[in-house]
């Protein structure tokens, strides 16, 4: 099966090198419009998008993420889970307050912001733009919150650098469908799964052949590396969630 939408979706790659050309106001508005047309939990539209154009703020984000190249991207967006706006609309009763501060509504805001982000990525790619989503803004969540004056009941979710691509990275092979798509029941896996072994060989070949940062790598090793990071590095996220008024306690 093939059509232009599928081609865009099936040829997605993150782009981390851009030309100096900035996005036009029309392109920025089109990406925001794509975000706004994405599905949104309970039609509550519980996210906000901040265009970051202030060079100082971009430099701070470059420092926090370690991705200094974002400072010269064609445009930078910050996607924020946002229950604050809706809190202004609802009368302050015990019930509305409990709802707005709940883990349920926190998740809903995160879903909305993440789905909106992906809509922007795909819309950008359909226009010939490239992008990289950045969860690394959460390397210093409290600083991001203060940098953008995020009020209580908001939370920074993702950054998104967009621009005119100055590279065309090789497509990354993703897991075989039989490891991610099951019929009716969850299918557990063990580390010695032969399909996984084949995929590990595919990933090794990909990392040997790709244009930059070539190395010996398997998916299994990649996951072990990811799992071996010091969890304290981002322990601040819980502090930030509490500061922003989100309650994660089952007792509440
Ligand atoms: C939630 C999320 C957070 C991400 N954070 C970062 C990031 O901080 N820095 C980065 O370079 N890429 C980031 N990425 C991009 C992934 O590294 C990338 O999607 C993945 O390696 C697959 O490569 P591809 O997008 O080229 O297919 C993120 C992607 C997602 C979905």
């Amino acid at each position: 099966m093939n059509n232009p939408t599928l081609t865009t979706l099936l040829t997605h790659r993150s782009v981390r090198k851009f030309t100096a050309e900035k996005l036009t106001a029309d392109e920025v508005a089109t990406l925001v419009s794509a975000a706004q047309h994405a599905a949104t939990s309970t039609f509550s539209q519980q996210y906000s998008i901040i265009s970051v154009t202030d060079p100082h703020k971009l430099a701070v984000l470059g420092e926090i993420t370690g991705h200094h190249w974002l400072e010269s991207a064609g445009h930078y967006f910050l996607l924020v889970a946002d229950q604050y706006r809706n809190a202004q609309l609802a009368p302050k009763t015990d019930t509305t307050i409990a709802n707005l501060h709940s883990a349920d509504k926190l998740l809903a805001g995160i879903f909305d912001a993440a789905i909106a982000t992906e809509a922007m990525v795909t819309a950008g790619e359909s226009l010939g733009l490239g992008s990289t989503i950045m969860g690394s803004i959460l390397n210093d969540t409290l600083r991001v919150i203060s940098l953008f004056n995020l009020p209580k009941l908001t939370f920074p979710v993702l950054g998104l650098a967009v621009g005119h691509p100055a590279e065309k990275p090789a497509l990354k092979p993703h897991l075989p469908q039989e490891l991610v798509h099951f019929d009716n029941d969850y299918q557990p896996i063990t580390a010695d799964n032969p399909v996984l072994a084949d995929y590990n060989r595919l990933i090794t070949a990909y990392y040997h052949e790709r244009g930059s940062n070539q190395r010996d790598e398997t998916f299994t090793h990649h996951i072990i590396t990811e799992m071996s990071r010091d969890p304290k590095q981002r322990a601040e996220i819980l502090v930030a969630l509490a500061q922003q008024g989100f309650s994660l306690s089952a007792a509440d």
Side-chain angles (χ1 to χ4, degrees):
M1 260 185 258
N2 201 3
N3 64 39
T5 306
L6 283 172
T7 301
T8 302
L9 288 168
L10 300 183
T11 58
H12 158 78
R13 68 260 282 165
S14 297
V15 171
R16 298 178 176 86
K17 277 193 190 134
F18 304 107
T19 69
E21 189 176 350
K22 295 289 170 193
L23 265 63
T24 62
D26 198 24
E27 285 168 333
V28 170
T30 300
L31 296 196
V32 172
S33 184
Q36 289 189 280
H37 285 81
T40 160
S41 176
T42 64
F43 188 42
S44 294
Q45 306 182 59
Q46 48 225 313
Y47 65 92
S48 288
I49 303 172
I50 298 178
S51 271
V52 188
T53 53
D54 177 341
H56 166 69
K57 294 192 178 191
L58 286 168
V60 174
L61 287 176
E63 201 179 300
I64 290 172
T65 59
H67 298 328
H68 286 284
W69 48 266
L70 73 78
E71 295 162 45
S72 53
H75 201 80
Y76 199 87
F77 297 100
L78 181 71
L79 277 288
V80 177
D82 188 356
Q83 297 296 351
Y84 170 84
R85 181 172 51 239
N86 289 343
Q88 307 315 302
L89 311 186
K92 307 265 175 302
T93 66
D94 289 349
T95 304
T96 60
I97 289 168
N99 268 315
L100 285 162
H101 291 258
S102 68
D104 178 35
K105 287 296 176 196
L106 167 66
L107 283 176
I110 292 173
F111 298 147
D112 277 9
I115 289 170
T117 304
E118 182 61 12
M120 295 170 90
V121 167
T122 306
E125 288 171 356
S126 77
L127 296 171
L129 300 168
S131 61
T132 288
I133 295 174
M134 288 184 197
S136 42
I137 58 159
L138 299 182
N139 289 344
D140 195 341
T141 310
L142 290 172
R143 197 166 172 204
V144 172
I145 289 169
S146 125
L147 189 64
F148 294 97
N149 301 311
L150 299 185
K152 273 195 189 297
L153 295 177
T154 64
F155 200 80
V157 177
L158 293 167
L160 180 65
V162 188
H164 292 266
E167 62 169 3
K168 190 174 181 186
L171 284 183
K172 270 188 184 165
H174 288 247
L175 283 164
Q177 289 200 1
E178 58 194 288
L179 295 185
V180 298
H181 176 209
F182 314 131
D183 282 331
N184 298 314
D185 283 307
Y186 189 84
Q187 298 296 317
I189 184 183
T190 52
D192 59 356
N193 181 295
V195 178
L196 179 66
D198 285 347
Y199 180 60
N200 274 330
R201 280 189 281 277
L202 195 62
I203 287 290
T204 301
Y206 160 79
Y207 275 101
H208 280 172
E209 286 159 21
R210 73 178 193 171
S212 65
N213 194 14
Q214 291 179 341
R215 59 182 190 268
D216 261 332
E217 185 62 290
T218 64
F219 186 68
T220 299
H221 178 260
H222 166 66
I223 294 302
I224 292 169
T225 309
E226 284 297 315
M227 293 304 125
S228 307
R229 288 179 195 271
D230 181 359
K232 288 198 202 87
Q233 273 176 4
R234 290 201 184 172
E236 187 193 79
I237 288 176
L238 270 182
V239 176
L241 282 168
Q243 175 195 288
Q244 294 304 95
F246 291 106
S247 160
L248 298 180
S249 159
D252 284 335

